[in-house]
Amino acid sequence: MPSRDIVEAFAKRLEEGDFIGAIEQFYTPDAATYENNAAPTVGRDKLVAKERGVLAASKEVKAVRIGPSLIEGDHVAARWKFSFTNAEGVTRTLDEIAWQTWQGDKLIEERFYYDPKQLGR
């Protein structure tokens, strides 16, 4: 079960824009993430590579947590607003819920729930 301090430290890394550092510090080597109902991305190295791709495709990415993270045992839920600005200066905003499963102070699984229409897909 993660402590409140660990969950807050994770959120702070995201809000500071250190997405790669957050993955490297807080995810287990075999962590998996799921985008809605898509197949998972498994393994911290693959998660870092995927995140680098997202960041490379964007001029700027900002994360803002909406309200507190809710902690219940090994599960954490948080609402996030992500803003992605492309090279042309167009910003798209994604409002999502992250549902996390932790093992101690490390994330083992994270599921993102959002409406993909928010990103113009």
Side-chain angles (χ1 to χ4, degrees):
M1 173 169 98
S3 68
R4 168 70 56 191
D5 289 344
I6 290 294
V7 171
E8 292 301 319
F10 173 75
K12 183 178 179 187
R13 293 291 287 269
L14 297 179
E15 290 175 324
E16 291 174 345
D18 188 7
F19 304 104
I20 302 299
I23 294 169
E24 291 173 339
Q25 180 179 353
F26 293 101
Y27 287 65
T28 63
D30 59 341
T33 63
Y34 298 77
E35 301 278 338
N36 287 324
N37 292 321
T41 301
V42 180
R44 186 172 50 214
D45 292 342
K46 288 182 181 177
L47 295 171
V48 166
K50 182 178 176 181
E51 194 66 21
R52 286 189 197 285
V54 169
L55 295 172
S58 303
K59 181 177 164 186
E60 182 178 51
V61 179
K62 290 184 180 179
V64 176
R65 187 169 41 152
I66 310 298
S69 294
L70 306 175
I71 303 170
E72 179 66 34
D74 291 334
H75 299 285
V76 174
R79 181 177 170 204
W80 289 92
K81 184 172 284 194
F82 289 91
S83 298
F84 301 89
T85 303
N86 66 20
E88 291 78 35
V90 176
T91 300
R92 292 201 164 93
T93 301
L94 178 69
D95 190 332
E96 75 173 22
I97 300 295
W99 177 258
Q100 303 167 338
T101 302
W102 292 71
Q103 286 182 335
D105 290 342
K106 300 287 183 184
L107 265 164
I108 184 75
E109 182 181 283
E110 190 166 28
R111 293 178 180 265
F112 305 109
Y113 297 99
Y114 58 88
D115 181 355
K117 292 179 186 174
Q118 295 175 87
L119 294 175
R121 293 181 196 157

Coordinates of all heavy atoms in Angstrom, one line a residue, residues 53-88:
G53 N 7.9 9.1 -26.9 CA 7.2 9.3 -28.2 C 6.1 10.4 -28.1 O 6.0 11.2 -29.0
V54 N 5.4 10.3 -27.0 CA 4.3 11.3 -26.8 C 4.9 12.7 -26.6 O 4.5 13.6 -27.2 CB 3.5 10.9 -25.5 CG1 2.6 12.1 -25.1 CG2 2.7 9.6 -25.8
L55 N 6.0 12.7 -25.9 CA 6.6 14.0 -25.6 C 7.3 14.6 -26.9 O 7.2 15.8 -27.1 CB 7.7 13.9 -24.5 CG 7.1 13.6 -23.1 CD1 8.2 13.3 -22.1 CD2 6.2 14.7 -22.6
A56 N 7.8 13.7 -27.7 CA 8.5 14.1 -29.0 C 7.4 14.7 -29.9 O 7.8 15.6 -30.7 CB 9.3 13.0 -29.6
A57 N 6.2 14.2 -29.9 CA 5.2 14.6 -30.8 C 4.5 15.9 -30.3 O 3.6 16.4 -31.0 CB 4.1 13.5 -30.9
S58 N 4.9 16.4 -29.2 CA 4.3 17.6 -28.6 C 5.3 18.7 -28.3 O 6.4 18.4 -27.9 CB 3.6 17.2 -27.3 OG 2.6 16.2 -27.4
K59 N 4.9 19.9 -28.5 CA 5.7 21.0 -28.2 C 5.8 21.2 -26.7 O 6.8 21.5 -26.1 CB 5.2 22.3 -28.9 CG 6.0 23.5 -28.6 CD 5.4 24.7 -29.4 CE 5.8 26.0 -28.9 NZ 5.1 27.1 -29.6
E60 N 4.6 20.9 -26.0 CA 4.5 21.1 -24.6 C 3.4 20.1 -24.1 O 2.3 20.0 -24.7 CB 4.1 22.5 -24.3 CG 4.0 22.8 -22.8 CD 3.7 24.3 -22.5 OE1 2.7 24.8 -23.1 OE2 4.4 24.9 -21.7
V61 N 3.6 19.6 -22.9 CA 2.6 18.7 -22.2 C 2.5 19.2 -20.8 O 3.5 19.3 -20.1 CB 3.0 17.2 -22.3 CG1 1.9 16.4 -21.5 CG2 3.2 16.7 -23.7
K62 N 1.3 19.5 -20.3 CA 1.1 19.9 -19.0 C 0.1 19.0 -18.3 O -0.9 18.5 -18.9 CB 0.5 21.3 -18.9 CG 1.5 22.4 -19.3 CD 0.9 23.8 -19.2 CE 1.9 24.8 -19.6 NZ 1.3 26.2 -19.4
A63 N 0.3 18.7 -17.0 CA -0.6 17.9 -16.2 C -1.0 18.6 -15.0 O -0.2 19.2 -14.3 CB 0.2 16.6 -15.8
V64 N -2.3 18.6 -14.7 CA -2.9 19.2 -13.5 C -3.8 18.2 -12.9 O -4.7 17.7 -13.6 CB -3.7 20.5 -13.9 CG1 -4.3 21.0 -12.6 CG2 -2.8 21.5 -14.5
R65 N -3.6 17.9 -11.6 CA -4.5 16.9 -10.9 C -5.7 17.7 -10.5 O -5.6 18.8 -9.9 CB -3.7 16.3 -9.8 CG -4.5 15.2 -9.1 CD -3.7 14.5 -8.1 NE -2.8 15.4 -7.4 CZ -2.4 15.1 -6.1 NH1 -2.7 14.0 -5.5 NH2 -1.6 16.0 -5.5
I66 N -6.8 17.2 -10.7 CA -8.1 17.8 -10.3 C -8.5 17.1 -9.0 O -8.9 15.9 -9.0 CB -9.2 17.6 -11.4 CG1 -8.7 18.0 -12.7 CG2 -10.5 18.3 -11.0 CD1 -8.3 19.5 -12.9
G67 N -8.4 17.8 -7.9 CA -8.8 17.2 -6.6 C -7.7 16.3 -6.1 O -6.7 16.2 -6.6
P68 N -8.0 15.7 -4.9 CA -7.1 14.8 -4.3 C -7.0 13.4 -5.0 O -8.0 13.0 -5.6 CB -7.6 14.7 -2.9 CG -9.1 14.8 -3.0 CD -9.3 15.8 -4.2
S69 N -5.9 12.7 -4.7 CA -5.8 11.3 -5.1 C -6.5 10.5 -4.0 O -6.4 10.9 -2.8 CB -4.4 10.8 -5.2 OG -3.7 11.5 -6.3
L70 N -7.3 9.6 -4.4 CA -8.1 8.7 -3.4 C -7.3 7.4 -3.2 O -7.0 6.7 -4.2 CB -9.5 8.5 -3.9 CG -10.3 9.8 -4.2 CD1 -11.6 9.4 -4.8 CD2 -10.4 10.7 -3.0
I71 N -7.0 7.1 -2.0 CA -6.2 5.9 -1.7 C -7.0 5.0 -0.8 O -7.6 5.3 0.2 CB -4.9 6.3 -0.9 CG1 -4.1 7.3 -1.7 CG2 -4.1 5.0 -0.6 CD1 -2.9 7.9 -0.8
E72 N -7.1 3.7 -1.3 CA -7.8 2.6 -0.6 C -6.9 1.4 -0.7 O -7.0 0.7 -1.8 CB -9.2 2.4 -1.1 CG -10.0 1.3 -0.4 CD -10.3 1.7 1.1 OE1 -10.5 2.8 1.4 OE2 -10.3 0.7 1.9
G73 N -6.2 1.1 0.3 CA -5.3 -0.1 0.3 C -4.3 0.1 -0.8 O -3.6 1.1 -0.9
D74 N -4.2 -0.9 -1.7 CA -3.2 -0.9 -2.8 C -3.7 -0.1 -4.1 O -3.0 -0.1 -5.1 CB -2.9 -2.3 -3.3 CG -2.0 -3.0 -2.2 OD1 -1.3 -2.4 -1.5 OD2 -2.1 -4.3 -2.2
H75 N -4.9 0.5 -4.0 CA -5.5 1.2 -5.1 C -5.5 2.7 -4.9 O -5.8 3.2 -3.8 CB -6.9 0.7 -5.4 CG -6.9 -0.8 -5.7 ND1 -6.5 -1.3 -6.9 CD2 -7.3 -1.9 -5.0 CE1 -6.6 -2.6 -6.9 NE2 -7.1 -3.0 -5.7
V76 N -5.2 3.4 -6.0 CA -5.3 4.9 -6.0 C -6.0 5.3 -7.2 O -5.8 4.8 -8.3 CB -3.8 5.5 -6.0 CG1 -3.9 7.0 -6.1 CG2 -3.0 5.0 -4.8
A77 N -6.9 6.3 -7.0 CA -7.6 6.9 -8.1 C -7.4 8.4 -8.1 O -7.3 9.0 -7.1 CB -9.1 6.6 -8.0
A78 N -7.2 8.9 -9.3 CA -6.9 10.4 -9.5 C -7.5 10.8 -10.8 O -7.6 10.1 -11.8 CB -5.4 10.7 -9.5
R79 N -8.0 12.1 -10.7 CA -8.5 12.7 -11.9 C -7.5 13.7 -12.4 O -6.9 14.5 -11.6 CB -9.8 13.5 -11.6 CG -10.4 14.1 -12.9 CD -11.7 14.8 -12.5 NE -12.1 15.6 -13.7 CZ -13.0 16.6 -13.6 NH1 -13.5 16.9 -12.4 NH2 -13.3 17.3 -14.6
W80 N -7.2 13.7 -13.7 CA -6.1 14.5 -14.3 C -6.6 15.3 -15.5 O -7.5 14.8 -16.2 CB -5.0 13.6 -14.8 CG -4.2 13.1 -13.7 CD1 -4.3 11.8 -13.0 CD2 -3.1 13.7 -13.0 NE1 -3.4 11.7 -12.1 CE2 -2.6 12.8 -12.0 CE3 -2.4 14.9 -13.2 CZ2 -1.6 13.1 -11.2 CZ3 -1.4 15.2 -12.3 CH2 -0.9 14.3 -11.3
K81 N -6.1 16.4 -15.7 CA -6.3 17.2 -17.0 C -4.9 17.4 -17.6 O -4.0 17.9 -17.0 CB -6.9 18.5 -16.7 CG -7.2 19.3 -18.0 CD -8.0 20.5 -17.7 CE -9.5 20.1 -17.4 NZ -10.4 21.2 -17.5
F82 N -4.8 16.8 -18.8 CA -3.5 16.9 -19.6 C -3.8 17.8 -20.8 O -4.8 17.7 -21.4 CB -3.1 15.5 -20.1 CG -2.5 14.6 -19.0 CD1 -3.4 13.8 -18.3 CD2 -1.2 14.7 -18.6 CE1 -2.9 12.9 -17.3 CE2 -0.7 13.9 -17.6 CZ -1.6 13.0 -17.0
S83 N -2.8 18.7 -21.0 CA -2.9 19.6 -22.2 C -1.7 19.3 -23.1 O -0.6 19.3 -22.6 CB -2.9 21.1 -21.7 OG -4.0 21.4 -21.0
F84 N -2.0 19.0 -24.3 CA -0.9 18.7 -25.3 C -0.9 19.8 -26.4 O -1.9 20.0 -27.0 CB -1.2 17.3 -26.0 CG -1.3 16.2 -25.0 CD1 -2.5 15.8 -24.4 CD2 -0.2 15.4 -24.7 CE1 -2.6 14.8 -23.6 CE2 -0.3 14.4 -23.8 CZ -1.5 14.0 -23.3
T85 N 0.2 20.4 -26.5 CA 0.3 21.5 -27.5 C 1.3 21.0 -28.6 O 2.4 20.6 -28.3 CB 0.9 22.8 -26.9 OG1 0.0 23.2 -25.9 CG2 1.0 23.9 -28.0
N86 N 0.8 21.0 -29.9 CA 1.6 20.5 -31.0 C 2.5 21.6 -31.5 O 2.5 22.7 -31.1 CB 0.7 19.8 -32.0 CG -0.2 20.8 -32.8 OD1 0.0 22.0 -32.8 ND2 -1.2 20.2 -33.4
A87 N 3.3 21.2 -32.5 CA 4.2 22.2 -33.1 C 3.6 23.4 -33.7 O 4.2 24.5 -33.8 CB 5.1 21.4 -34.2
E88 N 2.3 23.2 -34.2 CA 1.6 24.3 -34.8 C 0.9 25.2 -33.7 O 0.3 26.2 -34.0 CB 0.5 23.8 -35.7 CG 1.0 23.2 -37.0 CD 1.6 21.8 -36.7 OE1 1.0 21.0 -35.9 OE2 2.6 21.4 -37.4

